[in-house]
Structures are given as C-alpha cells and as structure tokens.
Amino acid sequence: MNRSALPSLALSLLTTAALAEGGFYGDPPDKTHPWAIHDMNRPQPPRVEPGTFSSQEQPGRPPSDAVVLFSGKPEEIEKWISDKNGEPTKWVVKDGALQCVPGSGYIRTKEEFGDCQLHIEWSAPSKVEGNSQGRGNSGVFLMGAVEVQVLDNYNNPTYADGFASSIYGINPPAANPLRAPGEWQVYDIVFRKPVFKDGQEIDPGYITVFVNGVLTQDHTPFEGGGGHMRRSKAKAFPEKGPLKIQDHGNPVRFRNIWYRPLPKRAVEGGEYSRMSEEATAAKRAEIAKGIREDAAKLEGNAKMLRFFESLCYDENAEAREFATAAVNDFAKAMTAVPADKLESKKGEILQVAKALRYLAQWQFLPADFAPKADLEAIIKVQDWEPKPKKK
C-alpha cells in the first residue's frame, strides 16, 4: 500500500467507527460542556489549505483563509496609509518589499481587526549602522496598541524589554533566534486582546510569538499594552484596530504580511470546551433541536435512536414519547422472533441495547426501563456478550 494513503485511510476508519457508535459513546454533555466526549454532532473543523514556507529568496504562500495585507505587489501600497494624517504613505515598494522611508512616519492598514494570527517578515539593513536601539529599529503594533519590537539584535545588546520580539516595555523574549542583518526574519504572532465586562478586566489578553520558528513569547499577558519609559496599566481595547508599523529612522523592509481572524474565547461566549452554565444550556438546546430535525428525516431504528440521542442534550416531551413508543415496539417485535431466527437480528438488538445501556447509565432513562430488560434477556439467552480475553 502507498504509505501516503495511510493517514487518509486511518481517518476514514476512525470516522466510520465513531459513526457506528452513534451518540452513545463518550461521557455526555454536562453543565459547562455542551458536547459529549468524542461527539460526532460537534462541527467538523473548516478546511484550510496550508501555505508554504518562505525562503530567503522567496516569500511563502499564505494559507487559504488568510487576509493578505502585503504580498509584494506595488498596488498593495494602497492598503496602507500614513498614521499621522491618513494620507497616502511615503513608504515605498521595492523589490517586492514594503520599505520604510525614514522620517515619513508610522504607517497603518486601512483594514481593522482584533484577535488574530499574524504573519510578518522583516529585514534590517545589511549595512550595519548604529547600536542598541539605533540599529534596524521598527515595531509591529497589533491593533495599533501593543508593540512587538523589531530590532537588529544580531550581536547587538540592548535593554531586554526592548529586544527584538519583546512585548515592548513589558516582557523580553525567551531567546534570540535572529538571523544576520540583511536576511529575512519571520514573526508568527497569536494575538488576543484584553476582555472587559462592566468595566472589569476578565481576561488580560495575551500574545504568543515565534521568531524564525523559535518560541520567544509564550502566552505573555498584557499589562495595558506597553510603551516607552512609562509602565502601562490595564485598559479596555476597541473591538478592532489597524496594524501599525513604526518608522524609527531605519530603512527596515517588510514582506509577506497576512492575518487570520481568530474565533471568540470562552469569556466572550465562544464555542470552547468550557462555557458558563447559561451559555451551555442554550447551546445544548440548539444542538438537540438540530438532532431532532435530522431524526425527522430518518426511518426505523435510526430515527428512534436519533431522537433518544437528542435527549442527552435537552429534554423534549415529543422526542421522548416517540422514541419510547418506537423502542417498546422494537422490543416486543424482537421477543416475538423465534429463537432460531434471532441470529439475523443480532446486530440490531445489540445496537439498540447498547444505546439503552448508555441512556440508563447516565440517567436519561430509568434503570428498570422495560425494553432494555427485554433486550438484555435476549442477549443473555443467546450468549451474545463478548467473552473476556484469556490471559
């Protein structure tokens, strides 16, 4: 077999096995988790075609869902404006790079966004001039507020909280993985803005940074946003803001700039594994409604089991009434089948019995539920229970 086909085959077999288990498999939903463990009702992750890695000669390709802010085309300068007055920027596009024109001021995107995965590549001048903060200095400002420092720190010491990939004025990087001046440096950033509710901070926000594939900021919390010389304090951020790039007097170049918006966190009502009880109850009701709608399109045992499955998320009198009547009919029909004909019904009986065991175990049905007892009796007489393996 072709080895490259193995992952796809494994996924196919795993999916088939999970589907065969139905909704009666892992621990059910609870007060803060709207989904069961290994829940096939949980939405599948959206497909994103991955991008390609950059080389020194050629920038990589962004993933398919990225919003491209600069890819090297001269006309993309139109996506950026002067931060000072909102007029067209004096920065230039040269050899596929967006280059700072010293003295022209910061630039910012017309596009505004919040939580994101940001990719940006930069290159300090190959001719080394200056030292400390005077050498290859710029900065990337998320939402125009939080600076990830850009600085040529290749054999160039400076104050630690102003080092390349520091959260400026807040936290130094954990390492210095910079390449030599003139080479391209790659920043991959995960940005989460602070969250306030009723004037109180409920999530300080955080930032994670990889430089040339090396982790330099590990879920670093914000302290307001950072700044020069003065300690910043916690503050609320707007919903969206621009990306700014600093003019610090050095002709630093940038390329391959793109971002991916990120979904809401749990504290913002996002669909994460742990939610408030109120949000969880609402989500469970929504899931149950969808399962009932799906069940209505089915027939036979599949319809019955799907209605039973919906009860694991939210109680519904009509769903319970239908499923209970259907399983009563099924159990009566199976008990009427002659013993020598039961083998052909083995799969159906075991499938329904497994579901009823699960529902009784988690108290969605009473332990003495009559159809369950009838099917268990058939299974016992037919000796269908799996035998323990011999040691």
Side-chain angles (χ1 to χ4, degrees):
M1 180 181 289
N2 186 337
R3 288 183 178 272
S4 65
L6 287 175
S8 296
L9 176 61
L11 178 61
S12 176
L13 292 174
L14 175 63
T15 304
T16 301
L19 285 169
E21 296 288 353
F24 311 103
Y25 184 49
D27 286 358
D30 60 25
K31 290 183 178 180
T32 56
H33 296 85
W35 309 102
I37 298 292
H38 311 316
D39 196 333
M40 288 302 295
N41 295 300
R42 200 166 189 171
Q44 297 291 295
R47 174 64 189 167
V48 174
E49 293 300 326
T52 58
F53 293 107
S54 295
S55 66
Q56 288 298 314
E57 296 74 25
Q58 189 70 29
R61 184 183 67 246
S64 60
D65 64 343
V67 178
V68 176
L69 299 172
F70 182 77
S71 67
K73 300 173 183 176
E75 61 268 24
E76 288 173 326
I77 195 72
E78 298 296 329
K79 296 182 179 182
W80 300 80
I81 55 177
S82 168
D83 185 50
K84 185 170 21 181
N85 52 28
E87 294 180 356
T89 176
K90 294 181 180 179
W91 287 35
V92 296
V93 176
K94 185 177 180 181
D95 298 327
L98 179 60
Q99 183 170 314
C100 175
V101 174
S104 64
Y106 290 32
I107 61 170
R108 59 181 163 90
T109 57
K110 294 178 181 178
E111 177 98 14
E112 294 192 346
F113 50 97
D115 290 359
C116 67
Q117 172 191 345
L118 175 71
H119 179 97
I120 186 168
E121 301 173 20
W122 61 273
S123 174
S126 55
K127 182 181 179 181
V128 175
E129 295 181 342
N131 56 57
S132 187
Q133 294 289 305
R135 178 173 149 185
N137 192 326
S138 185
V140 175
F141 290 75
L142 281 300
M143 294 189 70
V146 178
E147 181 183 8
V148 180
Q149 173 75 316
V150 168
L151 189 69
D152 178 6
N153 282 123
Y154 190 82
N155 295 327
N156 178 35
T158 190
Y159 47 85
D161 61 359
F163 221 85
S165 81
S166 65
I167 310 307
Y168 191 80
I170 294 179
N171 197 58
N176 176 10
L178 291 186
R179 300 185 175 106
E183 295 190 39
W184 287 102
Q185 321 289 344
V186 179
Y187 278 9
D188 285 293
I189 301 169
V190 177
F191 171 82
R192 291 291 196 177
K193 63 184 175 63
V195 178
F196 278 68
K197 186 175 182 180
D198 300 326
Q200 299 296 313
E201 181 184 86
I202 58 175
D203 188 327
Y206 58 85
I207 194 164
T208 299
V209 181
F210 287 86
V211 178
N212 298 327
V214 177
L215 181 67
T216 62
Q217 297 288 341
D218 184 8
H219 205 75
T220 301
F222 297 141
E223 296 175 7
H228 184 58
M229 296 181 65
R230 292 179 175 81
R231 201 174 303 281
S232 57
K233 297 180 181 179
K235 62 182 179 183
F237 279 39
E239 278 299 304
K240 296 180 179 181
L243 177 69
K244 293 185 183 181
I245 303 180
Q246 184 183 41
D247 167 17
H248 200 279
N250 300 121
V252 180
R253 300 179 298 153
F254 296 86
R255 72 175 189 183
N256 201 16
I257 308 172
W258 51 262
Y259 77 92
R260 299 178 60 248
L262 296 179
K264 290 182 178 180
R265 285 159 279 174
V267 294
E268 301 172 291
E271 293 184 3
Y272 280 65
S273 59
R274 183 169 291 275
M275 299 164 63
S276 70
E277 292 189 16
E278 181 180 5
T280 300
K283 188 64 182 177
R284 286 176 61 172
E286 177 189 326
I287 297 166
K289 181 174 181 291
I291 295 174
R292 292 194 302 269
E293 290 172 351
D294 180 57
K297 303 171 187 175
L298 304 175
E299 299 293 338
N301 286 350
K303 184 173 187 173
M304 170 188 70
L305 293 175
R306 198 76 168 123
F307 272 122
F308 268 133
E309 186 181 353
S310 73
L311 301 177
C312 299
Y313 300 86
D314 192 44
E315 179 59 34
N316 180 275
E318 291 182 5
R320 181 175 291 277
E321 181 180 359
F322 175 89
T324 300
V327 79
N328 271 307
D329 290 343
F330 176 78
K332 288 177 182 178
M334 293 303 101
T335 56
V337 175
D340 62 340
K341 304 291 187 183
L342 277 170
E343 189 65 28
S344 65
K345 303 294 183 180
K346 179 179 177 180
E348 292 180 72
I349 292 172
L350 288 175
Q351 181 189 31
V352 175
K354 176 181 175 295
L356 298 183
R357 289 171 183 172
Y358 180 94
L359 292 163
Q361 174 190 352
W362 296 104
Q363 300 178 1
F364 298 112
L365 289 175
D368 59 353
F369 190 57
K372 176 178 177 293
D374 291 340
L375 298 180
E376 297 287 10
I378 294 173
I379 292 169
K380 183 175 181 179
V381 170
Q382 294 296 313
D383 195 25
W384 285 342
E385 288 289 4
K387 302 293 189 296
K389 294 181 180 179
K390 293 182 180 181
K391 291 184 180 180

